[in-house]
């Protein structure tokens, strides 16, 4: 890719964001942004991803407790395992892992679907009705993915904590209430807030990047997989950089 | 509607293109080389950008005209390939633009209109199917119905017979012949059939000034 092309696509991405903001500002005139489309996106991105997210969360929560307990108990500091669960899982891993799953499932699906719609001239069909494709197709996907990411991250955290408790049974038979008391004692509001803010921002990043790449297909179906790969790679980069930035910001704010 | 292409360039299809005509009844853009007709309709619909020159609709620029007249009630478009949104059912595909065009109208009116057109075209299709489940010719017929139901001021039809077999062509020809008294149309076609009885006027695009 030439420098000129890279520059164009960089500018194009920000123009695309500006277009979505414009359409969002005129949401009242976009009455065709149907709740049904948003609900379908939530169903696909959120509900259908629950088993996979649940499995990963259970494993991560359990493994963090297992490794943490094995390591910390050698110093007689087993109590700090809950702090690790909060710091590692709630603050960092829940958002990142949920985002990676959503990129793999929904980011690729959005990019491919929109790319195919460009090739089959469905975007032109919408334009022929005077309907903005960004207002109709992109906004509903952005709303859907953001809501799904938020719900999935909360779900990840709950299952990971449950996984942590289940695995901790192997080391010392701790009652669920006692485990939760220890966990809640180290869980602070800023950490929960950070986790939720990250999930919403990650959802926006994934949806906007995938939509941009999908809508950037010009006319050949061979461009669709290329754009999908770009959507995945760019989303991962953007999510990780944003994660670092938000964590740093919260750390600075104390 | 008075339409003027004043040295319009758009993509690679139209270069310095000039055309001045008034669309009434059934206007046929006869283009045996199929060089310009689709591009003319695309530019009129605003689907292709104008790189240079001006397009005038009733003595107003295209942009100014469409600011005052909503596109959906002014211009309709029947795509040559009978395009439909693949993630919606056939009924939803027809309902989406209809709701935008006739905001607040009861769905009863939509159902009655749809039934009428389906009977005229002798179509028996389950409207809860997705577009991929029906044949391209059936999709094309549904595309016609969708466009006619919107009752635009001028309906643009690109290559009316594309994807249709001989029987379907006859059926469509009779349908268009009936509709030409009710719906002003601008047909872009290379078929000689449209030069005859159906056309209120024929504009031959062969040798038009595009340099």
């Amino acid at each position: 890719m030439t420098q000129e092309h890279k520059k164009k696509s960089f500018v194009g991405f920000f123009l695309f964001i500006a277009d979505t903001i414009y359409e969002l500002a005129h949401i009242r005139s976009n009455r065709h942004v149907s709740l049904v489309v948003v609900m379908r996106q939530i169903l696909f991105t959120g509900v259908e991803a629950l088993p996979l997210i649940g499995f990963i969360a259970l494993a991560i929560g359990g493994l963090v407790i297992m490794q943490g307990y094995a390591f910390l108990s050698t110093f007689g500091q087993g109590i700090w395992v809950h702090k690790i669960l909060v710091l590692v899982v709630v603050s960092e891993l829940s958002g990142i892992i949920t985002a990676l799953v959503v990129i793999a499932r929904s980011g690729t699906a959005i990019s491919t679907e929109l790319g195919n719609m460009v090739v089959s001239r469905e975007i032109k069909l919408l334009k022929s009705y005077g309907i903005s494709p960004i207002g109709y197709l992109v906004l509903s996907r952005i709303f859907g993915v953001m809501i799904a990411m938020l719900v999935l991250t909360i779900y990840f955290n709950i299952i990971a904590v449950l996984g942590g408790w289940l695995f901790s049974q192997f080391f010392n038979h701790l009652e669920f209430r006692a485990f939760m008391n220890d966990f809640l004692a180290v869980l602070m509001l800023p950490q929960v807030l950070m986790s939720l803010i990250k999930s919403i921002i990650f959802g926006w990043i994934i949806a906007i990047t995938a939509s941009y790449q999908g809508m950037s297909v010009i006319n050949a179906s061979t461009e669709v997989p290329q754009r999908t790969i770009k959507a995945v790679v760019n989303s991962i980069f953007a999510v990780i950089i944003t994660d670092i930035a938000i964590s740093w910001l919260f750390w600075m704010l104390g | 509607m008075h339409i003027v292409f004043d040295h319009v360039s758009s993509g690679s299809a139209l270069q310095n293109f000039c055309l001045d005509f008034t669309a009434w009844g059934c206007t046929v853009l006869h283009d045996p080389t199929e060089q310009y007709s689709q591009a003319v309709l695309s530019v009129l619909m605003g689907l292709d950008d104008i790189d240079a020159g001006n397009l005038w609709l009733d003595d107003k620029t295209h942009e100014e005209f469409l600011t005052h007249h909503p596109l959906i009630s002014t211009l309709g478009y029947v795509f040559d390939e009978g395009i439909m949104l693949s993630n919606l059912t056939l009924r939803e595909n027809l309902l989406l633009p209809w709701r935008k065009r006739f905001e607040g109208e009861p769905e009863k009116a939509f159902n009655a209109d749809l039934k009428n057109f389906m009977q005229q075209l002798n179509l028996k299709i389950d409207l809860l199917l997705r577009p991929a489940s029906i044949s391209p010719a059936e999709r094309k017929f549904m595309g016609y119905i969708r466009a006619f139901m919107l009752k635009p001021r001028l309906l643009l039809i690109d290559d009316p017979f594309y994807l249709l077999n001989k029987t379907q062509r006859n059926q469509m020809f009779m349908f268009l012949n009936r509709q030409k008294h009710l719906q002003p149309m601008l047909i872009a076609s290379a078929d000689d059939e449209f030069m005859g009885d159906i056309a209120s006027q024929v504009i031959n695009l062969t040798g038009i000034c595009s340099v």
Side-chain angles (χ1 to χ4, degrees), chain A residues 133-200:
Chain A
I134 290 179
Y136 180 71
L137 297 169
V138 177
L139 278 190
S140 48
R141 278 159 181 77
I142 289 175
F143 288 140
V145 174
M146 283 170 78
I147 294 167
M149 264 299 294
L150 179 67
V151 175
L152 282 177
T153 306
I154 294 169
Y155 175 76
F156 187 103
N157 284 324
I158 293 169
I159 299 292
V161 172
L162 283 177
W165 173 70
L166 279 174
F167 272 66
S168 68
Q169 295 296 301
F170 293 115
F171 304 103
N172 56 354
H173 292 284
L174 203 59
E175 268 193 31
F176 181 69
R177 187 181 284 183
F179 178 87
M180 285 308 291
N181 279 343
D182 289 344
F183 172 75
L184 292 173
V186 290
L187 182 68
M188 299 294 164
L189 184 65
Q191 284 151 343
V192 178
L193 270 181
M194 181 168 77
S195 177
L196 300 183
I197 289 170
K198 275 181 184 176
S199 70
I200 294 170

Side-chain angles (χ1 to χ4, degrees), chain B residues 28-85:
Chain B
V28 174
L29 292 176
H30 190 247
D31 184 14
T33 59
E34 296 185 357
Q35 204 177 345
Y36 309 119
S37 53
Q38 190 184 48
V40 166
L41 299 191
S42 275
V43 169
L44 265 173
M45 283 302 295
L47 302 180
D48 290 340
D49 294 332
I50 297 173
D51 303 325
N54 283 309
L55 171 59
W56 303 89
L57 301 176
D58 285 345
D59 303 323
K60 285 182 181 146
T61 63
H62 185 257
E63 204 179 330
E64 192 189 347
F65 186 88
L66 291 179
T67 313
H68 296 104
H69 305 85
L71 179 68
I72 197 154
S73 55
T74 309
L75 298 168
Y77 195 36
V78 179
F79 286 82
D80 53 351
E81 288 172 330
I83 298 162
M84 298 220 145
L85 294 171

Side-chain angles (χ1 to χ4, degrees), chain A residues 1-12:
Chain A
M1 190 189 273
T2 62
Q3 283 298 320
E4 183 63 23
H5 194 103
K6 271 186 184 170
K7 205 170 153 187
K8 259 187 189 171
S9 100
F10 193 70
V11 173

Side-chain angles (χ1 to χ4, degrees), chain A residues 115-136:
Chain A
N116 284 328
M117 287 179 84
V118 174
V119 175
S120 59
R121 293 162 73 197
E122 290 175 43
I123 304 293
K124 284 199 169 181
L125 177 68
L126 282 172
K127 283 184 184 168
S128 77
Y129 303 153
I131 292 177
S132 156
I134 290 179
Y136 180 71

Side-chain angles (χ1 to χ4, degrees), chain A residues 19-229:
Chain A
D19 282 345
T20 58
I21 293 167
Y22 175 84
E23 291 296 335
L24 188 63
H26 294 82
I27 192 88
R28 277 171 182 250
S29 61
N30 283 322
R31 282 180 201 154
H32 42 267
V33 176
S34 143
L35 195 63
V36 178
V37 183
V38 177
M39 293 308 285
R40 278 181 190 167
Q41 190 63 50
I42 294 172
L43 182 76
F44 174 72
T45 306
V47 179
E48 291 179 16
L50 286 177
L52 179 61
I53 291 283
F55 173 70
I56 297 172
L58 200 67
I60 294 280
L63 289 170
V64 165
I65 285 286
M66 195 175 80
Q67 296 286 7
Y69 202 85
F71 178 68
L72 291 171
S73 58
T74 56
F75 307 102
Q77 301 291 325
I79 184 69
W80 289 102
V81 80
H82 299 96
K83 186 78 179 167
I84 290 179
L85 191 66
V86 169
L87 281 177
V88 176
V89 178
V90 178
S91 303
E92 291 303 329
L93 286 184
S94 64
I96 284 278
I97 291 176
T98 308
L100 290 177
V101 171
V102 171
I103 289 169
R105 291 184 78 255
S106 308
T108 51
I110 290 172
S111 178
T112 309
E113 186 185 13
L114 294 183
N116 284 328
M117 287 179 84
V118 174
V119 175
S120 59
R121 293 162 73 197
E122 290 175 43
I123 304 293
K124 284 199 169 181
L125 177 68
L126 282 172
K127 283 184 184 168
S128 77
Y129 303 153
I131 292 177
S132 156
I134 290 179
Y136 180 71
L137 297 169
V138 177
L139 278 190
S140 48
R141 278 159 181 77
I142 289 175
F143 288 140
V145 174
M146 283 170 78
I147 294 167
M149 264 299 294
L150 179 67
V151 175
L152 282 177
T153 306
I154 294 169
Y155 175 76
F156 187 103
N157 284 324
I158 293 169
I159 299 292
V161 172
L162 283 177
W165 173 70
L166 279 174
F167 272 66
S168 68
Q169 295 296 301
F170 293 115
F171 304 103
N172 56 354
H173 292 284
L174 203 59
E175 268 193 31
F176 181 69
R177 187 181 284 183
F179 178 87
M180 285 308 291
N181 279 343
D182 289 344
F183 172 75
L184 292 173
V186 290
L187 182 68
M188 299 294 164
L189 184 65
Q191 284 151 343
V192 178
L193 270 181
M194 181 168 77
S195 177
L196 300 183
I197 289 170
K198 275 181 184 176
S199 70
I200 294 170
I201 295 176
F202 291 169
W204 178 77
I205 288 171
I206 295 165
I208 197 110
T209 309
S211 300
Y212 170 69
Q213 293 298 341
M215 299 285 269
S216 299
V217 170
I218 297 170
N219 49 22
S221 55
T222 48
E223 291 172 59
V224 177
Q226 292 169 350
R227 287 287 174 183
T228 304
I229 292 166

